[in-house]
């Protein structure tokens, strides 16, 4: 599987660590470690640090070095150079918003679990042909949301998804109810004002609520 975690055994997967993967955008790498600790304490160990800011590589490196209970990965990976950079920084998984043959080959060669982004049936089929069964569905809401994923579950039952994009605590349970959705990605548990205030207690509380989400909104 593309997203297996070798250190946790052959059957372990990024998709199965928690119902929600926090999608983290950091402007200040100094916030990375306390934020990651709050998320882990709240029950969300898989953390995607997106490469959208200059602080991202240092943030990723700090979490990998100082928060051993976190499974930290890199998001918005779109070039082979970024693959090499984040793996060297300690990324334990990779997430891309989309994929090309060049990017896919680089992610495969890295030896690190990865979730390539898809938004069409043809992209899903192309990845299945290459033996990749676990993917990111992005942008989820704009690409058809739960209705789209439910429609493709019948013809493509072997594909598993982590939908990301426009998902919040109210819609997450609807995605988690689908047979082909293992988890969702989102940032609602990391409000910018809480990060700015360094209110890690609030973020831990929001993370704990997210970790309790399941199909129908009940606790797991």
């Amino acid at each position: 599987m593309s997203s297996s975690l070798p250190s946790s055994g052959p059957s372990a997967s990024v998709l199965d660590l928690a119902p929600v993967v926090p999608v983290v955008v950091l402007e200040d790498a100094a916030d990375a470690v306390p934020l990651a600790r709050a998320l882990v304490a709240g029950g969300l160990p898989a953390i995607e640090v997106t490469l959208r800011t200059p602080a991202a590589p240092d943030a990723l490196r700090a979490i990998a070095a100082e928060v051993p209970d976190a499974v930290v990965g890199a998001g918005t990976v779109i070039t082979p150079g970024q693959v090499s950079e984040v793996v060297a920084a300690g990324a334990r998984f990779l997430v891309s918003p989309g994929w090309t043959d060049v990017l896919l080959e680089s992610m495969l060669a890295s030896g690190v679990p990865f979730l390539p982004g898809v938004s069409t049936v043809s992209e899903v089929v192309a990845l299945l042909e290459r033996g990749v069964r676990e993917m990111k569905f992005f942008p989820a809401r704009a690409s058809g949301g739960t209705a789209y994923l439910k429609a493709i579950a019948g013809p493509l039952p072997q594909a598993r998804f982590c939908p990301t994009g426009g998902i919040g605590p109210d819609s997450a349970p609807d995605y988690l109810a689908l047979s082909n959705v293992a988890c969702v990605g989102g940032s609602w548990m990391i409000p910018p004002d809480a990060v700015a205030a360094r209110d890690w207690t609030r973020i831990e509380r929001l993370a704990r609520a997210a970790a309790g989400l399941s199909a129908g909104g009940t606790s797991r």
Side-chain angles (χ1 to χ4, degrees), residues 2 11 16 22 38 42 48-49 55 96 99 118 133 159 165 172 187-188 193 215:
S2 64
S11 63
D16 297 323
E48 176 189 337
V49 176
S96 66
W99 65 277
V118 297
R133 297 178 182 273
S187 58
W188 71 85
D193 61 328

Side-chain angles (χ1 to χ4, degrees), residues 25-29 49-61 85:
V25 181
L26 284 172
E27 300 292 341
D28 187 347
V49 176
T50 68
L51 302 182
R52 301 181 191 177
T53 67
D58 286 339
L60 177 65
R61 192 174 293 108
E85 179 183 15

Side-chain angles (χ1 to χ4, degrees), residues 113-160:
F114 62 92
L115 294 171
V118 297
S119 60
T120 70
V121 171
S122 294
E123 290 171 318
V124 176
V125 171
L127 286 174
L128 291 174
E129 285 183 349
R130 292 162 172 80
V132 178
R133 297 178 182 273
E134 300 187 346
M135 312 165 195
K136 169 180 176 175
F137 179 57
F138 176 82
R141 185 172 62 182
S143 298
T146 56
Y148 188 94
L149 288 169
K150 184 176 182 180
I152 67 173
L156 301 171
Q158 63 272 56
R160 299 176 77 215

Side-chain angles (χ1 to χ4, degrees), residues 134-206:
E134 300 187 346
M135 312 165 195
K136 169 180 176 175
F137 179 57
F138 176 82
R141 185 172 62 182
S143 298
T146 56
Y148 188 94
L149 288 169
K150 184 176 182 180
I152 67 173
L156 301 171
Q158 63 272 56
R160 299 176 77 215
F161 299 97
C162 175
T164 304
I167 298 175
D170 293 333
S171 58
D174 295 330
Y175 283 93
L176 294 169
L178 301 176
S179 62
N180 54 354
V181 170
C183 63
V184 300
S187 58
W188 71 85
M189 74 298 298
I190 316 167
D193 61 328
V195 176
R198 293 179 166 81
D199 188 349
W200 312 125
T201 300
R202 179 184 172 197
I203 289 174
E204 180 181 340
R205 184 173 65 250
L206 292 170

